[in-house]
């Protein structure tokens, strides 16, 4: 059986999407389904390409047991739309940027917004924590844990 391929996308790929990747990997691992998934992350903006996740994001994530190991890389429209089954934007600007890069209807069908899968939180986007304080990083993880479960349930229903 081919794997279910999921790409989480934010702006810099150093805070929100590497966290989404780690949280979702943990969710599928906990359910014993890690082998069924191929999970990655990317940014719409290449400025941080080659960097590890933001140190503050790493510190908040590790306290919850998430080790952020991914290296920032940009979204590659010509490769990623074909490679992945689900492309999940963290905020409205990421969503709009990705939508503008879609080549056809099939690409657009793969595009989702993370907070649409939330059940405990009412945010319509995962707020960018980069220029803020401590609470912003914790909020990112809170939203991702909640929406991650909802997204998992959605994906299982589709497959
Ligand atoms: P991310 O956060 O999109 O969640 O990775 C940001 C990272 C870097 C910048 C902005 C947001 N930046 O302006 O460099």
């Amino acid at each position: 059986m081919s794997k279910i391929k999921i790409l989480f996308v934010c702006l810099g790929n150093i805070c929100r999407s590497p966290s989404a990747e780690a949280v979702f990997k943990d969710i599928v691992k906990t359910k014993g389904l890690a082998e069924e998934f191929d999970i990655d992350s990317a940014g719409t903006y290449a400025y941080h390409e080659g960097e590890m996740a933001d140190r503050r994001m790493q510190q908040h994530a590790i306290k919850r047991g998430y080790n952020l190991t991914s290296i920032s890389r940009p979204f590659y429209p010509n490769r990623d739309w074909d490679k992945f089954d689900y492309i999940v934007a963290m905020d409205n600007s990421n969503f709009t940027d990705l939508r503008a890069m879609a080549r056809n209807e099939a690409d657009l069908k793969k595009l989702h917004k993370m907070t649409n899968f939330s059940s405990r939180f009412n945010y319509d986007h995962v707020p960018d924590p980069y220029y803020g304080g401590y609470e912003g990083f914790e909020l990112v993880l809170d939203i991702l844990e909640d929406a991650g479960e909802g997204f998992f349930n959605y994906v299982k229903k589709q497959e």
Side-chain angles (χ1 to χ4, degrees):
M1 203 182 84
S2 75
K3 294 195 182 199
I4 302 167
K5 299 180 191 66
I6 298 170
L7 183 69
F8 295 103
V9 182
C10 63
L11 177 65
N13 191 213
I14 56 170
C15 294
R16 293 164 294 173
S17 61
S19 300
E21 177 187 338
V23 168
F24 199 72
K25 279 180 175 167
D26 187 71
I27 288 170
V28 300
K29 187 176 166 205
T30 300
K31 297 177 193 302
L33 298 172
E35 293 309 310
E36 291 187 20
F37 288 84
D38 189 345
I39 301 161
D40 194 4
S41 64
T44 57
Y45 169 64
Y47 186 75
H48 294 281
E49 185 169 7
E51 295 178 19
M52 296 288 293
D54 183 283
R55 185 176 294 277
R56 299 163 296 169
M57 192 73 250
Q58 285 192 51
Q59 285 168 347
H60 287 274
I62 201 72
K63 282 196 289 172
R64 301 191 190 198
Y66 306 118
N67 194 9
L68 304 190
T69 55
S70 74
I71 305 289
S72 175
R73 61 112 167 155
F75 178 75
Y76 301 119
N78 288 334
R79 190 193 76 179
D80 290 331
W81 287 119
D82 291 327
K83 177 170 178 191
F84 292 93
D85 304 306
Y86 300 88
I87 299 200
V88 187
M90 296 295 117
D91 67 23
N92 295 313
S93 145
N94 313 144
F95 187 91
T96 306
D97 290 346
L98 287 164
R99 193 171 53 195
M101 288 188 261
R103 303 158 306 175
N104 51 45
E105 278 300 312
D107 290 353
L108 284 173
K109 276 202 186 125
K110 297 181 177 185
L111 182 58
H112 302 272
K113 195 169 69 173
M114 192 67 183
T115 47
N116 286 346
F117 303 103
S118 290
S119 58
R120 288 191 292 116
F121 291 90
N122 239 342
Y123 289 87
D124 82 331
H125 65 289
V126 183
D128 182 349
Y130 192 70
Y131 293 107
Y134 173 97
E135 325 74 43
F137 294 93
E138 290 297 318
L139 179 62
V140 165
L141 294 166
D142 288 340
I143 294 173
L144 292 176
E145 287 176 341
D146 178 38
E149 286 290 342
F151 179 56
F152 174 81
N153 292 332
Y154 172 79
V155 169
K156 287 310 280 181
K157 223 178 275 174
Q158 306 306 306
E159 302 292 330

